[in-house]
Amino acid sequence: MPELAAHVRDVPVNQIREITEAAWRTPDALVLSIGEPGFPLPRHILDAGIACLDRDETNYTPNAGIPALREAFATRFRAAQGVEVGADRVYVVSGAQQGLHFAMSLLLSPGDEVLIPNPGYPTFAMTARLLNAVPVGYPLRPDHGFQPQVDDVAALVTARTRVLVLNSPSNPLGAVLGEDAVRELMDLARRHDLWVISDECYEAFTYDVPHISPARFDGETSRDARVFTSLTLSKTYGLTGLRIGALVCPPGLERTMDNVMEAIVSCVASPPQYAALAALTGPQDYVQQAHAHYRANRDAASAVLDAKGIPYLRADGAFYLWADMSHVTGGDVRTWVRRFLAESGVALAPGTAFGSIGEGWVRVALCGRKQDLLEGLSRLPARDGKGSGG
């Protein structure tokens, strides 16, 4: 058999999938390792997808998506962020991951460098490597509340740097960038003439703090605009399996976007698009219910960790808790989570799935049933002799 391309062999294993698939093979495991919303979908969303099939609307759609859905995404973004975005700049994609690949395909040539958060979502690095680009992690450190420091990011810029990836609310951290930080990072991108890819998958879920999109501080013309905004309905409406999201591009790139979209996926399937349209334009009870559930789970989980003396980062957004288990991981959290699953029947995502700074930390998903969450956390080994451990 001929060899695969070298850059494909360099793509790292996704440790989130590694532990989660092991959990799915473990009878009665409590799976706290993956961000899968657990609510049933509202009937009007399901009915819209089914109606599309019933009327046999199963032909190709435009590269950029059905016009009504593009307008619905633009309307939501304008209302949430006060940014004047027209539907012509919205491209419907098959989930945020395809949108990330789409954006990086437009912006990165072989050997180019892309600045990504460390800790940060693993496919930032995986996608860059698939494109023969070089991911460079900028540090998010515990002593700074896992917030990016502009000087740290600036120190990593080289002649090969082309893209800065921002992610707020953060997966895995639950950290949210404030307005001053976003403004400073955008100023840095302008100084070094960098593109910005803003992953805003969890924009609907912040707690007592606002979500600030970098698009608020972008230029308004093709000459000075630089932000690609990645949106998804997977988390906001629990549409993870329908694979539907949007990529909002800077002005002036429409023809290029069409061509690249054709080469990657041609177009997104019709039924998920009509389901997404119903989600965006119909009743918003699901989002409100989910927001309240995630916040309540965050508070309940925090209380368990407090009782056990386990340090964690208070989540201001998304639906994860970032917890420090270094008192038991022995410098190898990836091995420890596998052992913990085998011994206690609980799956947690290892911090090293998200970068080297994640060593000793775990990500706890807060989106499932509260009783499962609390039972799983009750089995964690306590720090400093507190609690019963597990």
Side-chain angles (χ1 to χ4, degrees), residues 241-291:
L242 291 189
R243 311 307 306 135
I244 200 82
L247 186 67
V248 183
C249 73
L253 297 179
E254 292 80 7
R255 172 60 69 86
T256 301
M257 295 280 284
D258 281 339
N259 289 344
V260 176
M261 187 71 169
E262 177 68 25
I264 292 176
V265 72
S266 292
C267 59
V268 176
S270 302
Q273 292 197 62
Y274 282 98
L277 178 60
L280 286 168
T281 60
Q284 299 299 298
D285 305 53
Y286 179 98
V287 182
Q288 297 162 10
Q289 177 189 9
H291 189 281

Side-chain angles (χ1 to χ4, degrees), residues 73-83 216:
F73 269 114
T75 298
R76 178 184 172 89
F77 195 64
R78 287 194 298 267
Q81 295 299 322
V83 178
R216 291 192 188 186

Side-chain angles (χ1 to χ4, degrees), residues 35-59:
E36 179 74 72
F39 303 108
L41 288 185
R43 189 69 236 177
H44 71 280
I45 297 177
L46 295 172
D47 286 343
I50 293 168
C52 176
L53 292 171
D54 282 342
R55 62 179 181 265
D56 193 20
E57 191 166 338
T58 55
N59 296 326

Side-chain angles (χ1 to χ4, degrees), residues 318-333:
F319 46 61
Y320 304 104
L321 269 187
W322 185 244
D324 182 359
M325 295 301 299
S326 58
H327 60 293
V328 291
T329 58
D332 186 357
V333 70

